Amino acid sequence: MFDRLSGLKNILWAIGIVLCLLLLFVGFVFSAVTPYHGDADPRTPNLNAVKDEKTTVNVDSLTFVEPDGELHQLRETADAGEDYIRSAVFLTDSVMIAMRDQSLTGGDVWSSESGSLPMGNIATWNILYSDGSKISPVDACMITKPSVLFICVGSDGLARVKKEDFISGYEALVRGILAASPETTVVCCSIPPVAEGYSSLDDLTSDLANEGSEWIREACREVGVYFVDVAQAVRSGVDLNPKFAAANNKSLNAAGIQAVLGYLRTHALEH
């Protein structure tokens, strides 16, 4: 009799263990195939929420060097190191788009989806933000608040825009960025030349690139932001050094980008 009760007890225990294991298995399968719908950040930034936190700002006061009519050009310094480049944000057009496409800076690089930022349309620029959304550079700065922003634009559509429109558009862009992110230090870069023999429908030439760089200098004097002549790092004579030219003879290849980044490291902001 005792042996029968003991056997029945063992059978019941075995059935119980099997049922528990079966329930655990069902629970595991259910959790594995059921998506989590908890709280998540929206893919597109809520710009209105960010803007509501801002107070009215006097744009004319938002400079980190006084607009005294002088050009505040970055001169040669000790090597600031990789962290200096990695911590900065770059806004670039097609000439330096390899920065983004080949992830050469170690940090954020902003440009349009195509990599082109025509100067004639500067007021309507949209960059591809890190979350995949398309927003203006000003809104991107309002969200990201970069400590240093290098602006490397000016070549796209340069031959199609008048000097006055170029400078006014460039100044508006910089002032908008400073208004959106007053703590950001803006450094404007010169326009690299094109390689000898470059020929395209955009009519860009090395002489025109040099002239555009002068317009950028004027904008920097007016607004009171830093200027750095990165074209010096990749120029050979008046043209782009062939070893730094991409296949189109206009854009910089990886070696050209590295030359520019090296120049920025040795012509750094000093605080």
Side-chain angles (χ1 to χ4, degrees), residues 121-145:
N121 302 329
I122 194 168
T124 59
W125 281 357
N126 277 328
I127 59 100
L128 190 64
Y129 193 59
S130 56
D131 66 355
S133 58
K134 297 176 183 178
I135 57 178
S136 72
V138 171
D139 285 339
C141 284
M142 180 174 60
I143 299 166
T144 304
K145 300 289 191 298

Short mmCIF file of all heavy atoms in Angstrom, two decimals, residues 121-145:
data_model
loop_
_atom_site.label_atom_id
_atom_site.label_comp_id
_atom_site.label_asym_id
_atom_site.label_seq_id
_atom_site.Cartn_x
_atom_site.Cartn_y
_atom_site.Cartn_z
N ASN A 121 20.67 78.26 -52.69
CA ASN A 121 19.51 77.79 -51.94
C ASN A 121 19.79 77.69 -50.45
O ASN A 121 19.17 76.90 -49.74
CB ASN A 121 19.06 76.41 -52.45
CG ASN A 121 18.72 76.43 -53.92
OD1 ASN A 121 18.25 77.43 -54.45
ND2 ASN A 121 18.96 75.31 -54.60
N ILE A 122 20.72 78.48 -49.97
CA ILE A 122 21.18 78.34 -48.59
C ILE A 122 20.06 78.49 -47.56
O ILE A 122 20.09 77.85 -46.50
CB ILE A 122 22.33 79.35 -48.31
CG1 ILE A 122 23.06 78.99 -47.01
CG2 ILE A 122 21.82 80.77 -48.30
CD1 ILE A 122 24.36 79.76 -46.83
N ALA A 123 19.06 79.28 -47.87
CA ALA A 123 17.96 79.51 -46.92
C ALA A 123 17.07 78.29 -46.76
O ALA A 123 16.32 78.20 -45.78
CB ALA A 123 17.13 80.71 -47.35
N THR A 124 17.13 77.36 -47.71
CA THR A 124 16.25 76.19 -47.65
C THR A 124 17.02 74.88 -47.47
O THR A 124 16.49 73.81 -47.69
CB THR A 124 15.39 76.09 -48.93
OG1 THR A 124 16.27 76.00 -50.08
CG2 THR A 124 14.51 77.32 -49.08
N TRP A 125 18.28 74.97 -47.05
CA TRP A 125 19.07 73.77 -46.84
C TRP A 125 18.44 72.85 -45.81
O TRP A 125 17.96 73.30 -44.76
CB TRP A 125 20.46 74.13 -46.35
CG TRP A 125 21.41 74.59 -47.42
CD1 TRP A 125 21.18 74.67 -48.76
CD2 TRP A 125 22.74 75.05 -47.21
NE1 TRP A 125 22.29 75.15 -49.41
CE2 TRP A 125 23.27 75.40 -48.48
CE3 TRP A 125 23.55 75.22 -46.09
CZ2 TRP A 125 24.56 75.90 -48.64
CZ3 TRP A 125 24.83 75.72 -46.24
CH2 TRP A 125 25.33 76.05 -47.50
N ASN A 126 18.46 71.56 -46.09
CA ASN A 126 18.12 70.54 -45.11
C ASN A 126 19.25 69.53 -45.07
O ASN A 126 19.73 69.08 -46.12
CB ASN A 126 16.81 69.83 -45.46
CG ASN A 126 15.59 70.60 -44.99
OD1 ASN A 126 15.63 71.28 -43.97
ND2 ASN A 126 14.51 70.51 -45.74
N ILE A 127 19.68 69.19 -43.87
CA ILE A 127 20.73 68.19 -43.73
C ILE A 127 20.12 66.88 -43.23
O ILE A 127 19.03 66.87 -42.65
CB ILE A 127 21.85 68.68 -42.78
CG1 ILE A 127 21.29 68.99 -41.39
CG2 ILE A 127 22.53 69.90 -43.37
CD1 ILE A 127 21.52 67.93 -40.35
N LEU A 128 20.82 65.80 -43.49
CA LEU A 128 20.40 64.49 -43.01
C LEU A 128 20.90 64.33 -41.59
O LEU A 128 22.09 64.15 -41.35
CB LEU A 128 20.95 63.38 -43.91
CG LEU A 128 20.41 61.97 -43.69
CD1 LEU A 128 18.91 61.92 -44.00
CD2 LEU A 128 21.15 60.98 -44.58
N TYR A 129 19.98 64.44 -40.62
CA TYR A 129 20.36 64.41 -39.21
C TYR A 129 20.67 62.97 -38.79
O TYR A 129 20.35 62.01 -39.49
CB TYR A 129 19.23 65.00 -38.37
CG TYR A 129 19.61 65.32 -36.94
CD1 TYR A 129 20.65 66.20 -36.65
CD2 TYR A 129 18.93 64.74 -35.88
CE1 TYR A 129 21.00 66.50 -35.35
CE2 TYR A 129 19.26 65.04 -34.57
CZ TYR A 129 20.30 65.91 -34.31
OH TYR A 129 20.64 66.19 -33.01
N SER A 130 21.28 62.82 -37.62
CA SER A 130 21.75 61.52 -37.17
C SER A 130 20.64 60.49 -36.99
O SER A 130 20.88 59.28 -37.07
CB SER A 130 22.51 61.67 -35.85
OG SER A 130 21.69 62.30 -34.87
N ASP A 131 19.39 60.94 -36.76
CA ASP A 131 18.28 59.99 -36.59
C ASP A 131 17.57 59.69 -37.89
O ASP A 131 16.56 59.00 -37.91
CB ASP A 131 17.28 60.52 -35.56
CG ASP A 131 16.57 61.79 -36.02
OD1 ASP A 131 16.94 62.31 -37.10
OD2 ASP A 131 15.66 62.24 -35.33
N GLY A 132 18.09 60.23 -39.01
CA GLY A 132 17.48 59.98 -40.31
C GLY A 132 16.51 61.04 -40.77
O GLY A 132 16.05 61.01 -41.91
N SER A 133 16.21 62.00 -39.91
CA SER A 133 15.29 63.08 -40.29
C SER A 133 16.04 64.13 -41.10
O SER A 133 17.27 64.21 -41.09
CB SER A 133 14.66 63.71 -39.06
OG SER A 133 15.67 64.21 -38.19
N LYS A 134 15.29 64.96 -41.82
CA LYS A 134 15.86 66.02 -42.64
C LYS A 134 15.44 67.36 -42.05
O LYS A 134 14.26 67.71 -42.08
CB LYS A 134 15.40 65.89 -44.09
CG LYS A 134 15.88 64.60 -44.75
CD LYS A 134 15.32 64.45 -46.16
CE LYS A 134 15.73 63.12 -46.78
NZ LYS A 134 15.16 62.95 -48.14
N ILE A 135 16.40 68.09 -41.52
CA ILE A 135 16.12 69.36 -40.85
C ILE A 135 17.18 70.38 -41.27
O ILE A 135 18.22 70.03 -41.84
CB ILE A 135 16.11 69.21 -39.32
CG1 ILE A 135 17.45 68.63 -38.82
CG2 ILE A 135 14.96 68.31 -38.88
CD1 ILE A 135 17.53 68.50 -37.31
N SER A 136 16.93 71.63 -40.96
CA SER A 136 17.87 72.69 -41.32
C SER A 136 19.11 72.61 -40.42
O SER A 136 19.05 72.10 -39.30
CB SER A 136 17.21 74.06 -41.17
OG SER A 136 17.04 74.38 -39.81
N PRO A 137 20.24 73.15 -40.88
CA PRO A 137 21.43 73.19 -40.02
C PRO A 137 21.18 73.96 -38.73
O PRO A 137 21.73 73.60 -37.68
CB PRO A 137 22.47 73.90 -40.90
CG PRO A 137 22.04 73.63 -42.30
CD PRO A 137 20.53 73.64 -42.25
N VAL A 138 20.37 75.01 -38.80
CA VAL A 138 20.05 75.79 -37.60
C VAL A 138 19.31 74.93 -36.58
O VAL A 138 19.65 74.92 -35.39
CB VAL A 138 19.23 77.04 -37.97
CG1 VAL A 138 18.70 77.73 -36.71
CG2 VAL A 138 20.07 78.01 -38.79
N ASP A 139 18.30 74.19 -37.04
CA ASP A 139 17.56 73.32 -36.13
C ASP A 139 18.45 72.21 -35.58
O ASP A 139 18.32 71.81 -34.42
CB ASP A 139 16.34 72.72 -36.84
CG ASP A 139 15.21 73.72 -37.01
OD1 ASP A 139 15.19 74.72 -36.27
OD2 ASP A 139 14.35 73.51 -37.89
N ALA A 140 19.36 71.70 -36.41
CA ALA A 140 20.27 70.66 -35.95
C ALA A 140 21.16 71.19 -34.83
O ALA A 140 21.43 70.48 -33.84
CB ALA A 140 21.12 70.16 -37.12
N CYS A 141 21.62 72.43 -34.96
CA CYS A 141 22.44 73.04 -33.91
C CYS A 141 21.61 73.29 -32.65
O CYS A 141 22.11 73.16 -31.52
CB CYS A 141 23.06 74.34 -34.40
SG CYS A 141 24.46 74.11 -35.53
N MET A 142 20.36 73.65 -32.82
CA MET A 142 19.48 73.88 -31.68
C MET A 142 19.32 72.60 -30.86
O MET A 142 19.23 72.63 -29.64
CB MET A 142 18.12 74.38 -32.17
CG MET A 142 17.11 74.64 -31.06
SD MET A 142 15.60 75.38 -31.70
CE MET A 142 15.05 74.13 -32.85
N ILE A 143 19.31 71.46 -31.55
CA ILE A 143 19.14 70.17 -30.87
C ILE A 143 20.46 69.66 -30.30
O ILE A 143 20.55 69.26 -29.14
CB ILE A 143 18.56 69.13 -31.84
CG1 ILE A 143 17.19 69.56 -32.35
CG2 ILE A 143 18.47 67.76 -31.18
CD1 ILE A 143 16.71 68.78 -33.55
N THR A 144 21.51 69.69 -31.11
CA THR A 144 22.78 69.07 -30.75
C THR A 144 23.63 69.93 -29.84
O THR A 144 24.36 69.42 -29.00
CB THR A 144 23.58 68.72 -32.02
OG1 THR A 144 22.78 67.90 -32.87
CG2 THR A 144 24.87 68.00 -31.70
N LYS A 145 23.57 71.25 -30.01
CA LYS A 145 24.40 72.19 -29.25
C LYS A 145 25.89 71.82 -29.35
O LYS A 145 26.56 71.60 -28.33
CB LYS A 145 23.97 72.22 -27.78
CG LYS A 145 22.54 72.63 -27.51
CD LYS A 145 22.35 74.12 -27.78
CE LYS A 145 21.01 74.61 -27.26
NZ LYS A 145 19.86 73.94 -27.91
#
